[in-house]
Amino acid sequence: MGKYFCKKCNFFDDDVSKNQTGGVDKFFHCDKCGCCYSNVLRDSHHCVEGAMHHNCPVCFEYLFDSTKDISVLHCGHTIHLECLNEMRAHHHFACPVCSRSACDMSDAWKKLDEEVAATPMPEFYQKKMIWILCNDCGATSNVNFHVLAQKCPGCSSYNTRETRGCGRPAAARSTV
């Protein structure tokens, strides 16, 4: 038997360097995610069914059997910590599965606010409107085009993508 055991996961571990000794005191089993998490995440993680029972989205190693440290992103998807650090080193801060921000980006959004304010658009583009989808909150919005980035009016994130360039929804456009 391992020094740590979860009978729901059927998980045994002798490596107590992860401080999992005591089980229930430091860890809880999430039935929807199908795995044990630190109690720190008990009230704050987003459940993703079978979160640990798939491959790392970067290196494709099966996560549940992995001996590497694993990180749970804000969206609930899981990834090896070293893969997440490698993504950050290459300035990629979005979940590779769902594209939500993988960390707190509020400081970056403030800097981008300053850059957008300091970069006025030529008169030709000042009234150009585009439709965007926010990768963080899922809202679809019609916003002013800017060459640097488009900000979600709902959650103030710049983690957005253009969905269509016309000022009207696709259903309202002429099909001629």
Side-chain angles (χ1 to χ4, degrees):
M1 295 294 274
K3 292 180 182 172
Y4 173 76
F5 171 67
C6 174
K7 65 182 175 182
K8 290 183 180 179
C9 292
N10 200 26
F11 180 70
F12 298 84
D13 197 353
D14 278 327
D15 179 4
V16 292
S17 68
K18 295 178 267 186
N19 293 321
Q20 72 272 36
T21 305
V24 178
D25 297 341
K26 296 181 182 177
F27 290 84
F28 73 99
H29 182 88
C30 177
D31 290 323
K32 185 172 182 181
C33 295
C35 55
C36 292
Y37 287 131
S38 167
N39 278 334
V40 173
L41 297 175
R42 181 180 293 275
D43 298 321
S44 63
H45 84 285
H46 288 39
C47 289
V48 172
E49 194 167 340
M52 297 288 278
H53 298 277
H54 62 81
N55 296 337
C56 172
V58 175
C59 70
F60 304 112
E61 180 183 349
Y62 189 62
L63 290 170
F64 191 75
D65 296 340
S66 179
T67 57
K68 299 174 185 172
D69 289 339
I70 295 168
S71 183
V72 181
L73 304 179
H74 294 293
C75 56
H77 292 114
T78 50
I79 185 173
H80 285 123
L81 181 59
E82 69 182 46
C83 293
L84 180 61
N85 290 337
E86 186 70 20
M87 286 173 42
R88 288 178 176 163
H90 288 91
H91 306 286
H92 186 78
F93 301 101
C95 173
V97 177
C98 68
S99 297
R100 280 188 64 186
S101 294
C103 56
D104 179 11
M105 297 295 292
S106 55
D107 288 341
W109 299 158
K110 286 176 190 171
K111 285 185 100 165
L112 208 41
D113 279 338
E114 293 170 8
E115 290 293 325
V116 167
T119 311
M121 293 298 294
E123 188 175 331
F124 178 77
Y125 289 108
Q126 287 180 358
K127 294 185 182 188
K128 179 177 171 68
M129 301 293 287
I130 60 169
W131 285 91
I132 61 166
L133 169 67
C134 179
N135 293 318
D136 287 339
C137 73
T140 301
S141 308
N142 194 18
V143 299
N144 287 320
F145 170 78
H146 198 282
V147 69
L148 292 179
Q150 278 58 246
K151 184 176 185 174
C152 174
C155 70
S156 300
S157 169
Y158 281 98
N159 183 10
T160 62
R161 64 180 74 191
E162 184 177 343
T163 58
R164 45 188 184 252
C166 183
R168 302 183 311 245
R173 284 190 228 149
S174 172
T175 56
V176 178

